[in-house]
Amino acid sequence: MDNITQWVIGWWIMEKVVGETPAEASWWQRNKALILGGLISNIPDIDIFVSKLVPHKDYMSEFLFHRSGFHSVFFNIFVALFVGWICGKTDRYKRPYWRWIVGSYLSILLGHLLIDAMTSYGGRYLLPFSSATYAFNNIFVVDLFYTIPLIILWFVYIFLKKKSTKKIWYIIGAAWIVIYPVFTLFAKHTATQAFQASLDAQHIVHGTILTSPEPLQTFLWRWVTVSEQGHYESYYSLFDSADRQINRRYIPNNKTMHDSLLDSPDVKKVEKWSQWWTSYSYGE
């Protein structure tokens, strides 16, 4: 579903660059906005397939290969410049300025990285200069409330004939691409404030609060915070009343186990990828 969202957004951007194509144009010319926008938008995810071809020392190395080098900002800037320049110079039917093509591809690719950064998984976007993971945690990797409206708007748009009506639907679609992520940031802030107030009211000493949406939507939120001996975890819905007491559960952290595993390369990779949001315990 995440890739479908990227594809539709890529098409939405390319549609205005390609512009209207006369009826006598080839099949390629009539559909290149959909094809190019979709293909370009998913270039960073090529690492999923490349990972199968590259030998890895262990499972974690293979797992962390995704959203690494191919998701680097610098790699995608190079791709936008290179592919955009080629497309701008080889389009014989209607050759737009290659700078517009490059700008569009750059918007699509960096937009892909931005949407990925909004998910809990995030990515290592500053490779090779930094291996730090960046994530805003405001959209679940599969969010039906973001993707399905986009698909509906896209289908309506491509079947409309009247130019003025098409323009209105295009603006609505472009607005939804921006409005929904902004709404999720507002929802995340609301949930975080509710968690903070609940902890303060009960005089619980805690560290940083990690707030992230539950699957498929942005109305139910989960939070985790670190205490001296473990973690607190709870859930909050945007539909909850303001005075509702937020129940929580405590997750103890076995520090002895943690210290004994610090020399493990796999554990180090997991902790770095999760930005040290880890808990250790013996299975029951």
Side-chain angles (χ1 to χ4, degrees), residues 24-40:
E24 65 271 15
S26 66
W27 179 89
W28 161 252
Q29 293 294 337
R30 290 194 300 269
N31 295 279
K32 66 181 177 180
L34 172 62
I35 297 170
L36 287 179
L39 292 176
I40 293 296

Side-chain angles (χ1 to χ4, degrees), residues 79-99:
V79 170
L81 289 171
F82 181 70
V83 179
W85 180 81
I86 291 177
C87 290
K89 293 298 183 181
T90 57
D91 189 341
R92 297 180 181 179
Y93 177 76
K94 183 180 180 181
R95 180 181 296 177
Y97 290 111
W98 74 272
R99 295 177 185 82

Side-chain angles (χ1 to χ4, degrees), residues 130-179:
S130 172
S131 59
T133 299
Y134 297 91
F136 297 120
N137 301 302
N138 60 298
I139 295 180
F140 193 75
V141 67
V142 178
D143 190 324
L144 300 182
F145 290 88
Y146 192 26
T147 302
I148 291 179
L150 270 180
I151 295 175
I152 293 173
L153 288 166
W154 173 62
F155 268 106
V156 172
Y157 176 87
I158 62 176
F159 286 110
L160 289 173
K161 300 297 182 182
K162 192 175 180 180
K163 291 183 180 179
S164 59
T165 307
K166 285 176 70 74
K167 183 178 180 180
I168 293 173
W169 280 87
Y170 182 88
I171 293 173
I172 293 173
W176 185 251
I177 291 173
V178 178
I179 288 173

Side-chain angles (χ1 to χ4, degrees), residues 238-284:
L238 297 183
F239 302 109
D240 287 341
S241 60
D243 58 349
R244 186 186 77 86
Q245 182 178 355
I246 299 177
N247 297 321
R248 65 187 185 281
R249 74 185 184 104
Y250 183 68
I251 307 171
N253 186 29
N254 191 314
K255 191 174 185 304
T256 302
M257 174 184 286
H258 170 264
D259 294 341
S260 68
L261 295 172
L262 283 180
D263 293 331
S264 168
D266 284 345
V267 171
K268 289 181 179 178
K269 291 175 183 176
V270 170
E271 289 211 330
K272 191 172 184 179
W273 173 78
S274 66
Q275 302 177 67
W276 292 273
W277 287 96
T278 53
S279 179
Y280 297 82
S281 63
Y282 291 101
E284 297 180 358

Side-chain angles (χ1 to χ4, degrees), residues 34-161:
L34 172 62
I35 297 170
L36 287 179
L39 292 176
I40 293 296
S41 69
N42 283 286
I43 281 180
D45 287 336
I46 290 176
D47 55 13
I48 296 175
F49 305 99
V50 175
S51 178
K52 304 300 181 181
L53 305 176
V54 176
H56 298 283
K57 296 180 180 179
D58 48 57
Y59 169 77
M60 280 307 302
S61 297
E62 181 178 355
F63 175 76
L64 295 175
F65 190 83
H66 182 44
R67 295 196 181 183
S68 56
F70 283 84
H71 280 70
S72 167
V73 170
F74 308 103
F75 170 78
N76 284 279
I77 289 175
F78 170 78
V79 170
L81 289 171
F82 181 70
V83 179
W85 180 81
I86 291 177
C87 290
K89 293 298 183 181
T90 57
D91 189 341
R92 297 180 181 179
Y93 177 76
K94 183 180 180 181
R95 180 181 296 177
Y97 290 111
W98 74 272
R99 295 177 185 82
W100 285 98
I101 297 292
V102 169
S104 301
Y105 288 174
L106 193 59
S107 299
I108 292 171
L109 290 169
L110 296 185
H112 179 122
L113 304 188
L114 180 59
I115 291 177
D116 281 352
M118 292 180 186
T119 67
S120 299
Y121 293 101
R124 290 175 284 170
Y125 303 114
L126 298 182
L127 287 171
F129 303 103
S130 172
S131 59
T133 299
Y134 297 91
F136 297 120
N137 301 302
N138 60 298
I139 295 180
F140 193 75
V141 67
V142 178
D143 190 324
L144 300 182
F145 290 88
Y146 192 26
T147 302
I148 291 179
L150 270 180
I151 295 175
I152 293 173
L153 288 166
W154 173 62
F155 268 106
V156 172
Y157 176 87
I158 62 176
F159 286 110
L160 289 173
K161 300 297 182 182

Side-chain angles (χ1 to χ4, degrees), residues 179-215:
I179 288 173
Y180 189 78
V182 172
F183 163 74
T184 64
L185 290 172
F186 170 78
K188 177 182 173 71
H189 175 74
T190 301
T192 303
Q193 291 295 101
F195 296 142
Q196 181 72 59
S198 175
L199 292 169
D200 292 344
Q202 298 172 66
H203 307 291
I204 297 175
V205 179
H206 62 87
T208 304
I209 294 177
L210 174 66
T211 311
S212 59
E214 286 296 277

